[in-house]
Amino acid sequence: MSRPIKIAAAQLGPIARDEPRSAVVKRCLILMHEAKAKGVELIVFPELALTTFFPRWYLEDQTEVDAFFETEMPSAETQPLFDAAKELSMGFYLGYAERVPGEEGDRHFNTTILVDQQGEIVGKYRKIHLPGHEENEPWRPFQHLERRYFESGDMGFQIFDAFGGKVGMAICNDRRWPETFRVLGLKGAEVVLIGYNTPRHYPPAPEHDHLQDFHNHLVLQAGAYQNGTWVVGVAKAGIEEGCDLIGGSCIIDPTGTIVAKAEGVGDELVIADCDLDRCDEIRKKIFDFRRYREPDNYAPITAPKETGPKQ
Ligand code: CDT
């Protein structure tokens, strides 16, 4: 049996702070048309794909922060992506900053959507693991204020029936947590799509800077193998506003093998034929969850986080 779907990881190079969304959308459309010529059915863009990675700045004016957020999807500026999806019969994953206006104040999420080949939104995920810090830390060469600008996602880890399979979504830091993949794996994910923005320099632990590419692939490959799922990791890469973001966008098969990988740090397509039936290689033979898991011994995993060891 085989259930192939051709997927493209659409890595984006840097996005300048003053680059309008319309320019980014144009870059995405170029990649979609290139991908169409190669038979791609699903294209995956990075985390916060419509703007520069703004959590690197401490901004006191909320209006300035909100300018990086979307209140509607599609919007006039992003509608061309939805039109292209329909015209090219190509679904997409798109990360963006989402603002939800409400009577008790606005809510802000680091969000991604899954759009099908008819241009309809069929899935949404709001980032759960938010890295970084809440307050300005001027000693850092750049900030990582996701914990200031976003709240943790309220939609859980879900699976969407789309593209003839079961699709899971996560965003950037989520990939470092095995629980992300395991929850998606337990729900039957056959492919997990993950956009990211990962600075090479990590101010609290600069001694690990040379390991950033390694850690990226380590967690993506482990997540794939340990759950018998395809994984698509997609970077926003290159020197963005003076900050070096790793590339390494890749597609990983359910054995944990990287089958296609980006060569540079600019706009680039990484394409692979992903046979979703290959998940069975691992799920039926190695990690048969129903047969081999021992959840009675895993209680600390779901205990409140305060019960973890003090650091
Ligand atoms: N965007 C994002 O989540 N970036 C983080 C940076 C490192 S914080 C430890 C990441 O996990 O790649």
Side-chain angles (χ1 to χ4, degrees):
M1 286 262 295
S2 109
R3 216 160 15 110
I5 164 169
K6 200 170 248 198
I7 304 182
Q11 181 173 282
L12 290 179
I15 299 176
R17 185 168 181 172
D18 62 0
E19 191 166 338
R21 287 167 176 70
S22 56
V24 181
V25 166
K26 254 188 208 154
R27 286 166 58 182
C28 293
L29 290 172
I30 290 171
L31 289 169
M32 288 179 84
H33 281 90
E34 262 180 40
K36 181 64 191 177
K38 294 176 177 158
V40 167
E41 299 159 87
L42 170 61
I43 187 165
V44 184
F45 294 110
E47 172 191 35
L48 300 175
L50 295 171
T51 67
T52 199
F53 188 75
F54 62 90
R56 73 168 62 91
W57 293 297
Y58 175 66
L59 304 169
E60 289 183 270
D61 178 359
Q62 190 60 37
T63 317
E64 206 181 344
V65 177
D66 284 347
F68 291 104
F69 283 75
E70 316 298 317
T71 49
E72 39 175 11
M73 190 59 67
S75 60
E77 281 152 319
T78 52
Q79 183 64 47
L81 295 171
F82 292 77
D83 295 342
K86 197 169 174 188
E87 178 201 330
L88 305 174
S89 190
M90 183 185 304
F92 65 84
Y93 163 117
L94 179 78
Y96 64 98
E98 178 191 20
R99 180 165 70 91
V100 186
E103 280 176 14
E104 285 164 31
D106 294 354
R107 303 184 72 192
H108 297 79
F109 298 100
N110 186 339
T111 296
T112 190
I113 45 166
L114 183 66
V115 173
D116 71 9
Q117 288 162 293
Q118 285 75 49
E120 299 295 329
I121 296 175
V122 291
K124 187 174 198 175
Y125 167 72
R126 291 171 169 161
K127 185 176 183 177
I128 289 174
H129 297 101
L130 296 174
H133 47 111
E134 289 84 359
E135 301 302 332
N136 190 26
E137 296 188 4
W139 63 270
R140 293 176 184 248
F142 54 86
Q143 306 293 303
H144 198 111
L145 287 160
E146 283 194 64
R147 298 182 71 82
R148 181 180 192 84
Y149 297 141
F150 302 113
E151 65 178 281
S152 179
D154 60 352
M155 304 179 106
F157 295 108
Q158 296 179 53
I159 293 300
F160 302 98
D161 285 307
F163 305 94
K166 297 197 177 298
V167 182
M169 296 193 285
I171 300 178
C172 196
N173 193 259
D174 287 324
R175 75 198 189 285
R176 300 183 195 269
W177 300 90
E179 294 87 349
T180 298
F181 288 103
R182 179 47 51 96
V183 172
L184 290 171
L186 285 170
K187 291 187 174 184
E190 295 172 311
V191 58
V192 179
L193 315 175
I194 307 174
Y196 58 91
N197 283 258
T198 298
R200 186 169 302 284
H201 177 53
Y202 182 52
E207 66 275 22
H208 295 164
D209 288 359
H210 68 291
L211 299 173
Q212 289 295 348
D213 291 300
F214 165 61
H215 285 160
N216 178 39
H217 288 150
L218 177 71
V219 292
L220 293 173
Q221 290 179 261
Y225 170 62
Q226 292 173 336
N227 296 283
T229 179
W230 288 86
V231 169
V232 182
V234 189
K236 171 127 71 54
I239 310 288
E240 188 179 82
E241 297 294 352
C243 183
D244 185 4
L245 300 175
I246 66 165
S249 301
C250 59
I251 299 182
I252 299 164
D253 77 17
T255 71
T257 305
I258 294 179
V259 295
K261 184 158 81 73
E263 287 172 2
V265 288
D267 293 8
E268 180 181 341
L269 289 178
V270 174
I271 297 174
D273 258 317
C274 305
D275 176 3
L276 301 183
D277 277 340
R278 284 198 55 207
C279 297
D280 287 349
E281 282 173 34
I282 298 294
R283 291 189 178 179
K284 289 201 171 149
K285 300 176 188 173
I286 316 278
F287 298 122
D288 177 343
F289 287 164
R290 284 201 175 206
R291 184 170 183 194
Y292 295 120
R293 282 179 71 251
E294 295 294 348
D296 290 352
N297 295 283
Y298 305 158
I301 299 270
T302 53
K305 62 181 174 182
E306 295 73 21
T307 62
K310 274 208 179 96
Q311 304 299 340

